[in-house]
Amino acid sequence: MTLIATARERGIATLTLDSPANRNALSAQLVAELRDALTAGAADDTVRAVVLAHTGSTFCAGADLKAPPDPEAFVGLMRDIVALRKPVVARVDGHVRAGGLGLLAACDIAVAGEASSFALTESRLGLAPAVISLTLLPRVDRTAANRYYLTGERFDGAEAARIGLVTLAAEDVDKALVPVLDGLRRASPQGLAASKELVTATVLRSFDQYAEDLIARSAELFASEEAREGMTAFLERRDPAWVR
């Protein structure tokens, strides 16, 4: 079963995360299919920009703990989005958790609807937002990152816009996207590519400099006893042993 639905309309390629059974979690299959779809969009001269959307009430629940992707593949996916010579716009009208925030932050523009909520839940599982820091930290207000990295609190679209995680929050996400997509359609392919390069250059250098170490740190945390307890407790829907 395909987990990424694709559509084309007036120069916009829409890639829809379509894995409702696991709340669009980042499984090995979903990551691979999304990377392939981005490659196809990059090669299609009729595509001016890419919209990343979702089915159901969750944009992305983070890593699929039952069928996780290879960490290098997920880092590769985030880098693919940042390095794509076409803008990537996230259409979010649902929940975003953990690794899903890294996917979202890799996009150039993000619009969040009223149903959106966000949380970096890694610390509650004995983990840390390691590899997703490559896209999150250049984008999110540092004071807010300090809070939400540590507490795992949930926040809404208005707060996500305030701290820089999304471009804007709106009551009607599709209405808010109209001027954004119109602007992208009016821009030249060369102009879009060159302009995006200016914004993403430092982020790409961070990938080259830090990705390998962060992948290793993430793997070490996932293999730890605390993380095993945290993930088991999550799957069993109970508090982990350290909760007081």
Side-chain angles (χ1 to χ4, degrees), residues 54-184:
H54 64 98
T55 58
S57 61
T58 300
F59 174 78
C60 181
D64 185 338
L65 300 181
K66 296 181 179 179
D70 181 271
E72 291 186 0
F74 177 50
V75 170
L77 169 60
M78 292 191 296
R79 196 184 195 285
D80 288 347
I81 294 172
V82 176
L84 196 74
R85 290 179 59 79
K86 302 176 182 184
V88 181
V89 179
R91 179 202 179 278
V92 181
D93 202 22
H95 308 303
V96 191
R97 298 291 183 267
L101 275 77
L103 181 65
L104 171 63
C107 298
D108 303 291
I109 299 169
V111 179
E114 283 192 321
S116 302
S117 73
F118 308 83
L120 288 158
T121 54
E122 287 89 345
S123 65
R124 299 187 180 192
L125 299 177
L127 303 169
V131 296
I132 64 174
S133 289
L134 291 164
T135 57
L136 277 171
L137 290 183
R139 185 171 188 133
V140 172
D141 172 81
R142 184 56 59 94
T143 301
N146 287 342
R147 175 177 179 176
Y148 295 120
Y149 267 45
L150 297 174
T151 68
E153 294 170 87
R154 185 171 63 182
F155 54 95
D156 63 12
E159 175 70 353
R162 186 191 72 80
I163 67 176
L165 175 62
V166 302
T167 310
L168 61 98
E171 292 183 8
D172 186 328
V173 67
D174 291 314
K175 184 177 180 180
L177 279 171
V178 170
V180 173
L181 299 183
D182 181 63
L184 296 177

